[in-house]
């Protein structure tokens, strides 16, 4: 069931377009990430949903009702900011209670809800603390509790983890996702961190230059990047340029580094770029691989080992587990790299 | 939003009128000495008054003495406290802020009682002694400004490394202060100096109660006896103050520039 | 073994000139005055001097000083806040803000004789505004009951340095109000009014009260402006003290000590309030 519809949103600041014909629908309870580099328009989309920016064109529908005419304080939205934005004059409990007080809830109800919310974010007993007495991670938990306390219909998260230390970032993202699932609240999450987007989302919108480059599940976006931008933005990727050749029923891609198999469902012709994940390349004997090159570097990265192989002019990376490494590898030797047809993502141009 | 902006403009415009009107009026008033036409008569009268030259000269010399005294007391202390006695910083800071808390008239009252002719240190007994007392009083009043300016200047440079570098090259303390530290905080000292100058040049209470022929008491005397000349004097005083403050602002801007270009 | 204490001693020698100066020219004179407030001319302890504050003319001067300081502090705070608000978040061009701040830096130091002359030239009997009101509008300012040599006139003059001081101090505090707070409040359903009542004003509170205290002290200790503007026709406390020091009026120096003592206590207390509230406000701004 579609819960939120963003329809052909357009927004410019002065003469600079920031968001161009942006379309997106969210299911009830879905967690969708807007992922992209800074300046790609993701925050502007979020702020338009919140009501802090007005779109030049398009419509925003929440629960079957256009919200464009509503002010931010009428939209029943919970928002979490990168800067936490806790009210410094209020205690933890006072912050969480803010939306409830504004809504005119009675004292007992407020107190019960505040207790529940603080328990949910794991801060029971910190009611009386002030924001400046809390760590960054604790502050952001309070901010989350404050945002969900009035039971909003939509949760908007604006880079909520970016200001935190790496360790807390990882643990908090798991927690945010768990709480979101538990409440079943439809959530729009803005981030520039691909790992966050991949690990937390039901779906990801990869944005660039104000447009959605690709909308899909984390798996789809990772495995089947639709554009070169998406391919380059998410994860490490080897890009090899070549020429499609179809002869006698077999199709392949000829490149300076060797010949690559063309996926059977591809109708590509002419010059193409092939994107291959490092873990889809496995080392083998020089004459058995699709690509052939010189081994330049062996990087041990703990869980796996990364090989840097120079094939013709380009250097590609191949990741493999220690047990898959051919024995007796040495630098500057010639090796082959095998790639399966389904791991080659062909992009024209 | 638009209404908001209109209100802002109105608030700003009202404030501008309130603050600019007295300045314009003073200028206009000072030109009215001759009946019916604008003239520079008031200025001519003022400039031809030997008292004007004497009192302004006295205040200029006194402000110079105040600046020298203030720098001599504050600069080495601020330096020393930063380098060797950081524990003492809150105490020194507190003392330098006291002149903002204690009204000047109270301080000078204390001077008159404490340094009278029958005391251990009879400074008020002689003109020279009183001049020194007045300079000391002004240096006291300028302590908050002088200390803050110099301390900010010291914070901007790494005095520890500079000092140690100089010491390793065989320099003694006098040489370090005079050749290494002072040149590096010149801008800060100058801005403190001009601020002090702006405070001292037209000061009235201390000079009047210590009975010295300074510019402030002269202005008040003129105020009681002439009509248009006081406005001319006010223009002169404003001009001097503005010039001094403009120098301070420019210096502050330059210091900022120096620090960011590092 | 003896080298170390000697070294420690020489470290302290570096600050001796400063402390000696502060002692002789700041602390001792102040202490002398404060102690004198509790002494008879013969040096015995007494509370009679402080009691003397509660007599007729001095009590009146004290009340007038309090009234003047409270009024100029309150008006200075209110108007200064409006001006600071206009330049920080009123959508005015940024260049205007720099101009206002620079001007405030200068004007907050304007208390003194020239300021009084400027107001005489503006609103005095022959002042520009008075003349223009008469010639252009046909309004006789004096007939409307306005007199520059009065409480109102003095208040107007004091505001010339009180408002800029407020602007200087409160602008950083206004800058400290984060845009995110407002948006967070709105997203939680709060109206603009609710945001101001529940967040912005409480956050600004310490700065506002603290600055009020500072302005109060600032007005309470000032003498020269009032002296040059009103002569001694308006007896505020510092003018009474001035006259007393000059030996014009009272013949009892210990009563003078008591007046000075009262001034120190009042300005000291207000400054203490300012410092305490300021540190609290700074903690919040982090």
């Amino acid at each position: 069931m579609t819960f939120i519809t963003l329809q052909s949103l357009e927004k410019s600041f002065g003469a600079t377009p920031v968001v161009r014909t942006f379309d997106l629908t969210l299911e009830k309870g879905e967690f969708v990430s807007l992922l992209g580099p800074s300046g790609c328009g993701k925050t502007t989309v979020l702020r338009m949903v919140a009501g802090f920016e007005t779109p030049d064109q398009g419509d925003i529908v929440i629960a079957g009702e256009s919200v464009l005419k509503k002010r931010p304080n009428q939209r029943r939205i919970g928002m979490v900011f990168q800067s936490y934005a806790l009210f410094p004059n209020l205690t933890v409990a006072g912050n969480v209670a803010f939306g409830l007080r504004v809504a005119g809830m009675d004292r007992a109800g407020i107190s019960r809800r505040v207790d529940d919310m603080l328990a949910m974010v794991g801060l029971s007993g910190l009611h009386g603390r002030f924001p400046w007495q809390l760590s960054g991670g604790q502050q952001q938990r309070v901010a989350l509790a404050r945002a969900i306390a009035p039971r909003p219909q939509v949760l908007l998260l604006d880079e909520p983890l970016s200001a935190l230390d790496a360790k807390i970032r990882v643990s908090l993202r798991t927690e945010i996702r768990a709480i979101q699932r538990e409440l079943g609240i439809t959530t729009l999450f803005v981030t520039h961190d691909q790992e966050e987007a991949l690990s937390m989302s039901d779906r990801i919108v990869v944005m660039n230059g104000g447009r959605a480059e690709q909308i899909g599940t984390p798996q789809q976006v990772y495995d089947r990047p639709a554009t070169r931008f998406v391919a380059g933005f998410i994860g490490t990727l080897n890009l090899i340029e070549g020429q499609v050749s179809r002869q006698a029923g077999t199709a392949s891609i000829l490149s300076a580094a060797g010949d690559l198999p063309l996926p059977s469902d591809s109708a590509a012709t002419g010059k193409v770029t092939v994107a291959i994940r490092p873990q889809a390349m496995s080392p083998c004997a020089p004459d058995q691989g699709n690509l052939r090159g010189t081994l330049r570097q062996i990087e041990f990265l703990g869980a796996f080992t990364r090989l840097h192989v120079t094939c013709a002019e380009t250097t590609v990376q191949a990741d493999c587990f220690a047990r898959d490494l051919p024995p007796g590898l040495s630098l500057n030797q010639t090796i082959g790299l095998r790639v399966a047809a389904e791991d080659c993502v062909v992009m024209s141009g | 939003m638009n209404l908001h902006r209109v209100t802002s403009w109105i608030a700003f415009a009202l404030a501008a009128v309130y603050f600019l009107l007295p300045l314009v009026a003073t200028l206009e008033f000072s030109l009215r000495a001759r009946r019916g036409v604008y003239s520079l008569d008031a200025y001519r009268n003022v400039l031809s008054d030997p008292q004007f030259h004497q009192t302004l000269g006295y205040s200029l010399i006194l402000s110079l003495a105040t600046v020298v005294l203030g720098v001599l007391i504050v600069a080495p202390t601020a330096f020393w406290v930063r380098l060797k006695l950081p524990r003492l910083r809150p105490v020194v800071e507190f003392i330098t802020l006291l002149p903002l808390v204690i009204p000047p008239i109270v301080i000078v009252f204390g001077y008159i009682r404490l340094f009278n002719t029958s005391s251990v240190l009879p400074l008020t007994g002689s003109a020279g002694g009183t001049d020194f007392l007045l300079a000391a009083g002004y240096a006291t009043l300028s302590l908050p400004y002088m200390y803050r300016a110099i301390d900010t200047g010291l914070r901007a440079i790494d005095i520890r490394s500079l000092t140690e570098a100089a010491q390793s090259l065989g320099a003694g303390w006098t040489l370090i202060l005079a050749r290494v530290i002072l040149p590096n905080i010149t801008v800060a000292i100058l801005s403190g100096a001009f601020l002090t100058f702006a405070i001292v040049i037209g000061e009235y209470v201390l000079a009047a109660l210590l009975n010295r022929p300074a510019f402030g008491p002269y202005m008040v005397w003129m105020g009681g006896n002439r009509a248009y000349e006081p406005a001319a004097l006010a223009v002169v005083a404003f001009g001097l103050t503005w010039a001094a403050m403009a120098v301070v602002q420019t210096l502050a801007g330059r210091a900022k520039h120096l620090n960011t270009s590092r | 073994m003896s080298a170390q204490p000697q070294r420690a001693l020489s470290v302290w020698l570096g600050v001796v000139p400063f402390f000696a100066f502060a002692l002789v020219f700041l602390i001792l004179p102040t202490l002398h005055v404060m102690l004198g407030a509790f002494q008879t001319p013969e040096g015995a302890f007494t509370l009679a001097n402080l009691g003397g504050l509660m007599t007729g003319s001095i009590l009146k001067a004290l009340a007038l000083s309090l009234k003047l300081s409270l009024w100029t502090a309150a008006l200075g705070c209110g108007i200064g806040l409006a001006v600071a608000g206009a330049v920080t978040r009123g959508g005015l061009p940024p260049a205007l803000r720099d101009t206002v701040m620079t001007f405030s830096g200068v004007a907050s130091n304007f208390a003194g004789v020239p300021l009084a002359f400027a107001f005489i030239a503006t609103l005095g009997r022959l002042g520009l505004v008075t003349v223009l009101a008469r010639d252009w509008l046909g309004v006789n300012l004096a007939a409307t009951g306005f007199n520059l040599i009065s409480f109102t006139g003095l208040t107007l003059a004091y505001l010339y340095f009180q408002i800029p001081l407020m602007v200087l101090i409160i602008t950083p505090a206004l800058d400290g109000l984060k845009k995110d707070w407002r948006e967070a409040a709105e997203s939680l359903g709060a109206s603009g009014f609710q945001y101001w009542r529940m967040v912005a004003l409480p956050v600004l509170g310490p700065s506002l009260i603290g600055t009020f205290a500072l302005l109060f002290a600032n007005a309470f200790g000032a003498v020269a402006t009032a002296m040059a503007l009103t002569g001694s026709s308006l007896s505020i406390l510092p003018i009474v003290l001035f006259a007393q020091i000059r030996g014009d009026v009272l013949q009892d120096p210990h009563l003078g000590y008591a007046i000075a003592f009262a001034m120190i206590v009042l300005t000291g207390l207000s400054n203490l309030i300012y410092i305490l509230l300021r540190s609290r406000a700074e903690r919040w701004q982090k």
Side-chain angles (χ1 to χ4, degrees):
Chain A
M1 189 185 87
T2 301
F3 188 64
I4 302 177
T5 308
L6 310 184
Q7 203 172 25
S8 317
L9 290 182
E10 304 257 358
K11 178 75 184 174
S12 304
F13 291 130
T16 4
V18 206
V19 175
R20 318 182 212 209
T21 36
F22 187 86
D23 285 288
L24 178 68
T25 57
L26 280 84
E27 300 294 305
K28 176 111 188 128
E30 200 180 13
F31 191 115
V32 174
S33 295
L34 301 178
L35 172 66
S38 60
C40 72
K42 55 189 195 295
T43 300
T44 309
V45 170
L46 191 84
R47 291 173 60 80
M48 286 193 283
V49 176
F52 299 132
E53 308 287 354
T54 315
D56 301 335
Q57 297 280 324
D59 198 4
I60 300 171
V61 178
I62 300 178
E65 197 185 346
S66 172
V67 295
L68 281 191
K69 293 261 155 57
K70 291 188 175 179
R71 298 193 34 76
N73 55 9
Q74 300 164 329
R75 292 194 184 188
R76 295 194 48 215
I77 276 172
M79 184 145 171
V80 176
F81 298 79
Q82 179 176 356
S83 67
Y84 323 136
L86 293 181
F87 305 131
N89 58 314
L90 299 176
T91 59
V92 167
N95 268 282
V96 178
F98 187 91
L100 308 172
R101 274 169 61 198
V102 166
M105 197 187 233
D106 64 283
R107 257 167 200 287
I110 290 178
S111 152
R112 222 175 308 122
R113 182 80 64 84
V114 169
D115 288 346
D116 290 350
M117 288 301 135
L118 287 181
M120 185 174 263
V121 297
L123 292 178
S124 292
L126 293 187
H127 293 65
R129 297 275 186 93
F130 280 94
W132 54 272
Q133 296 170 310
L134 302 178
S135 70
Q138 287 173 322
Q139 291 191 51
Q140 200 56 296
R141 280 162 208 265
V142 176
L144 179 65
R146 178 179 71 178
I148 57 181
R151 306 243 161 95
Q153 7 182 34
V154 184
L155 183 60
L156 303 176
L157 307 170
D158 186 7
E159 305 247 9
L161 304 170
S162 303
L164 299 171
D165 296 339
K167 251 201 177 133
I168 296 163
R169 205 148 59 201
V170 172
S171 66
L172 198 52
R173 77 181 183 215
T174 320
E175 254 178 86
I176 290 178
R177 180 60 167 144
I179 291 170
Q180 184 268 338
R181 276 221 177 85
E182 190 181 327
L183 298 175
I185 184 171
T186 315
T187 302
L188 203 50
F189 174 76
V190 161
T191 183
H192 64 268
D193 184 323
Q194 40 142 331
E195 201 182 302
E196 278 173 14
L198 290 172
S199 65
M200 294 171 81
S201 322
D202 292 321
R203 281 190 302 146
I204 296 176
V205 181
V206 184
M207 290 187 68
N208 184 34
R211 266 184 248 278
E213 294 259 339
Q214 185 174 7
I215 303 179
T217 64
Q219 197 75 45
Q220 284 168 345
V221 171
Y222 187 82
D223 286 342
R224 297 270 157 228
T227 63
R228 264 187 98 135
F229 174 82
V230 178
F233 194 74
I234 297 183
T236 315
L237 207 72
N238 297 304
L239 295 176
I240 296 163
E241 301 191 345
Q243 183 85 34
V244 174
S245 145
R246 293 177 192 275
Q247 278 176 339
T250 60
S252 59
I253 303 159
L254 312 180
S255 81
D259 298 348
L260 291 163
L262 186 72
S264 48
D265 58 348
S266 173
T269 54
K271 282 191 69 156
V272 291
T273 302
V274 186
I276 308 165
R277 295 281 173 205
Q279 61 270 33
M281 294 191 165
S282 42
C284 58
D287 50 346
Q288 288 170 359
N290 303 84
L291 304 173
R292 196 190 349 235
T294 314
L295 180 60
R296 291 296 181 198
Q297 207 182 329
I298 306 175
E299 253 182 309
F300 177 63
L301 294 172
F304 58 88
T305 300
R306 175 165 290 175
L307 306 177
H308 297 251
V309 182
T310 306
C311 308
E313 269 104 61
T314 48
T315 297
V316 298
Q317 299 174 3
D319 291 350
C320 55
F321 295 113
R323 59 163 191 268
D324 298 336
L325 271 184
L329 275 184
S330 62
L331 290 185
N332 295 323
Q333 81 172 77
T334 304
I335 64 165
L337 292 169
R338 204 161 32 213
V339 187
E342 63 267 26
D343 288 328
C344 294
V345 179
V346 181
M347 297 171 293
S348 51
Chain B
M1 196 60 210
N2 233 337
L3 184 75
H4 199 54
R5 206 190 209 136
V6 171
T7 346
S8 294
W9 274 111
I10 292 174
F12 174 78
L14 286 177
V17 168
Y18 170 76
F19 282 101
L20 293 181
L21 207 55
L23 301 181
V24 175
T26 312
L27 190 63
E28 197 264 355
F29 202 78
S30 72
L31 300 174
R32 265 202 252 160
R34 195 177 298 177
R35 213 177 173 73
V37 284
Y38 285 138
S39 70
L40 291 173
D41 283 7
Y43 292 92
R44 216 167 285 134
N45 294 344
V46 162
L47 285 174
S48 64
D49 182 356
Q51 282 241 49
F52 170 78
H53 297 280
Q54 281 161 16
T55 55
L56 188 60
Y58 178 86
S59 282
L60 283 172
I61 292 172
L62 204 69
S63 61
L64 196 66
T66 304
V67 166
V68 171
L69 188 61
V71 171
L72 281 181
I73 289 162
V74 172
T77 308
F79 165 71
W80 198 249
V81 165
R82 274 206 170 265
L83 191 66
K84 297 272 180 183
L85 295 166
R87 281 173 297 159
L88 225 54
R89 242 177 85 86
V91 182
V92 172
E93 228 161 60
F94 176 75
I95 291 176
T96 59
L97 285 177
L98 277 180
L100 292 181
V101 179
I102 306 165
I105 190 168
V106 172
I107 296 179
V108 72
F109 187 27
Y111 285 1
I112 291 167
R113 293 288 156 190
L114 207 57
F115 303 115
N116 63 25
T117 41
S118 57
S119 71
V120 190
L121 200 63
L123 285 175
T124 55
S126 64
T130 316
D131 289 341
F132 174 75
L133 188 58
L134 190 53
Y138 286 159
T140 307
L141 293 190
S142 68
L143 267 185
Y145 308 98
M146 197 58 118
Y147 181 81
R148 207 178 311 168
I150 291 181
D151 196 51
T152 311
L154 285 172
R155 189 168 29 177
I157 58 172
D158 183 359
I159 52 167
R160 184 170 297 274
S161 308
L162 282 181
T163 308
E164 283 168 2
Q167 276 177 322
S168 72
L169 295 168
W173 284 117
T174 328
L175 198 65
I176 290 175
L177 265 179
R179 287 294 190 71
V180 180
I181 302 301
L182 281 182
N184 273 301
I185 54 169
T186 320
V187 171
I189 289 180
L190 281 178
S191 70
F194 280 97
L195 210 57
T196 305
F197 172 81
I199 295 166
V200 170
I201 195 69
E203 202 281 339
Y204 173 68
V205 176
L206 261 66
L209 288 176
L210 288 175
N211 233 336
R212 297 311 295 155
F215 192 50
Y218 171 71
M219 282 196 287
V220 170
W221 182 84
M222 286 293 263
N225 294 284
R226 301 288 178 83
Y228 299 102
E229 283 76 2
L233 285 176
V235 170
V236 171
F238 280 153
L240 287 172
T241 315
W242 275 97
M245 294 303 290
V247 173
V248 172
Q249 296 283 348
T250 321
L251 289 173
R254 240 191 77 190
K256 208 187 268 174
H257 177 71
L258 276 178
N259 289 336
T260 46
S261 67
R262 258 168 220 282
Chain C
M1 268 328 270
S2 69
Q4 275 223 314
Q6 219 168 27
R7 250 197 68 150
L9 201 68
S10 70
V11 164
W12 287 91
L13 273 178
V15 290
V16 164
F18 173 81
F19 280 100
F21 180 85
L23 191 70
V24 173
F25 292 107
L26 177 61
I27 296 166
L28 282 183
T30 310
L31 276 182
H32 183 80
V33 168
M34 292 182 78
L35 292 177
F38 294 94
Q39 285 172 343
T40 61
E42 290 73 38
F45 176 82
T46 178
L47 287 175
N49 301 322
L50 292 186
L53 287 177
M54 293 299 136
T55 53
S57 62
I58 293 179
L59 195 61
K60 239 195 233 155
L62 177 64
L64 190 62
S65 263
L66 283 175
K67 193 172 138 197
L68 179 69
S69 308
L70 287 173
W71 266 106
T72 61
L75 289 172
C77 274
I79 300 170
L81 182 64
V83 174
V87 294
T88 50
R89 40 195 60 223
L92 301 185
L96 219 57
R97 178 195 162 123
D98 293 341
T99 315
V100 168
M101 292 307 281
T102 308
F103 180 84
S104 298
V106 181
S108 60
N109 281 316
F110 255 14
V113 181
L115 179 62
F117 291 169
F119 271 84
I120 291 169
T122 312
L123 287 164
R125 213 165 39 79
L126 291 171
L128 184 62
V129 171
T130 317
V131 170
L132 290 184
R134 187 190 62 203
D135 294 353
W136 291 2
L137 305 172
V139 176
N140 185 351
L141 271 188
T144 63
F146 178 81
N147 178 11
L148 184 64
I149 319 294
S150 69
F151 183 80
T152 318
L154 198 54
T155 304
L156 269 178
Y158 271 38
L159 285 178
Y160 204 89
F161 55 81
Q162 295 282 64
I163 294 172
L165 188 57
M166 175 69 177
V167 171
L168 273 188
I169 298 178
I170 210 68
T171 300
L174 283 180
D175 285 338
L177 285 181
K178 293 190 192 127
K179 191 185 77 173
D180 285 357
W181 292 340
R182 194 195 180 99
E183 292 185 349
E186 278 191 71
S187 75
L188 290 166
S191 64
F193 175 73
Q194 280 170 320
Y195 161 72
W196 271 95
R197 185 171 60 80
M198 296 165 77
V199 180
L201 273 184
V203 169
L204 283 181
S207 303
L208 286 176
I209 300 170
T211 313
F212 178 85
L214 188 74
L215 294 194
F216 175 86
N218 196 35
F220 201 85
V223 196
T225 312
M227 201 89 193
L229 191 67
T230 68
S232 49
S233 65
L234 209 66
S235 311
I236 53 174
L237 200 58
I239 288 187
V240 172
L241 180 58
F242 189 95
Q244 139 71 19
I245 297 172
R246 272 267 172 97
D248 295 348
V249 185
L250 308 162
Q251 288 310 314
D252 179 3
H254 287 265
L255 191 53
Y257 290 147
I259 296 173
F261 179 78
M263 288 181 68
I264 293 176
V265 169
L266 280 166
T267 56
L269 273 182
S270 344
N271 275 285
L272 192 70
I273 293 172
Y274 170 65
I275 289 164
L276 289 179
L277 288 176
R278 190 191 167 86
S279 61
R280 181 172 172 155
E282 271 166 8
R283 201 176 57 188
W284 278 0
Q285 303 290 353
K286 270 192 287 190

